[in-house]
Amino acid sequence: MSSPLSNQVEQALAELERQKAAIDEIQGGLHTVYSTVTAKNRAVAVTVDSRGAVTAIKFPTSAYRSMAGPELGELLVDTIEAARGEAMARTVAAFESLLPAGLPMMDLLTGGADPEHGPLPMDKLLAEMFRTAGPDDDPTPAPSAGAH
């Protein structure tokens, strides 16, 4: 006969395996995700992968030829940042199904949740995840009634 604790451990391990399989599937799919952003003036198009690494820069028109060096440089930087932002948003969206509802993942990763200090360190990120998950999902055991 199995004890209640043993059943809970088995259920937790099974859930952990389901979560790991879901993460592996999402990560596998991210290898084929690319984001391409074209500048408003169509002078440059930048493609990045799911991690934000630049994989291609194209010049769809000859508009770049009449641009001053600093202007073209600024356009490249802005377009690369826009492509990276889109890639990050798509990556976060892929993982949101595994996270507690209401967790501001994009804000936590980009520092939007704490503009003075930038992105949260991993320990604070995990604490925020557990706080958002609520008491039913919090793995921290509640203090016993007799504890002081």
Side-chain angles (χ1 to χ4, degrees):
M1 181 160 97
S2 299
S3 71
L5 180 59
S6 176
N7 289 339
Q8 287 179 326
V9 169
E10 287 177 24
Q11 289 173 352
L13 288 173
E15 179 59 25
L16 182 62
E17 285 299 317
R18 281 190 295 275
Q19 291 281 338
K20 183 185 177 316
I23 289 169
D24 289 345
E25 183 177 336
I26 291 169
Q27 283 180 325
L30 289 177
H31 294 294
T32 62
V33 174
Y34 293 88
S35 296
T36 300
V37 172
T38 302
K40 288 180 183 177
N41 69 358
R42 304 206 31 85
V44 64
V46 175
T47 301
V48 299
D49 64 16
S50 62
R51 293 171 291 151
V54 176
T55 60
I57 296 176
K58 296 182 181 179
F59 300 94
T61 67
S62 61
Y64 71 93
R65 292 180 183 182
S66 62
M67 298 176 75
E71 182 184 10
L72 180 57
E74 184 177 337
L75 184 64
L76 278 166
V77 169
D78 291 346
T79 308
I80 290 168
E81 286 306 308
R84 283 184 173 154
E86 184 179 297
M88 181 180 281
R90 292 175 71 183
T91 300
V92 167
F95 282 99
E96 279 182 334
S97 65
L98 301 175
L99 300 172
L103 182 68
M105 197 66 196
M106 196 64 152
D107 286 342
L108 294 171
L109 290 173
T110 63
D114 186 1
E116 289 186 23
H117 301 100
L120 292 177
M122 186 55 72
D123 60 337
K124 289 185 180 179
L125 178 61
L126 291 172
E128 178 67 13
M129 288 175 65
F130 290 131
R131 185 193 65 74
T132 304
D136 293 340
D137 297 329
D138 189 346
T140 308
S144 64
H148 293 336

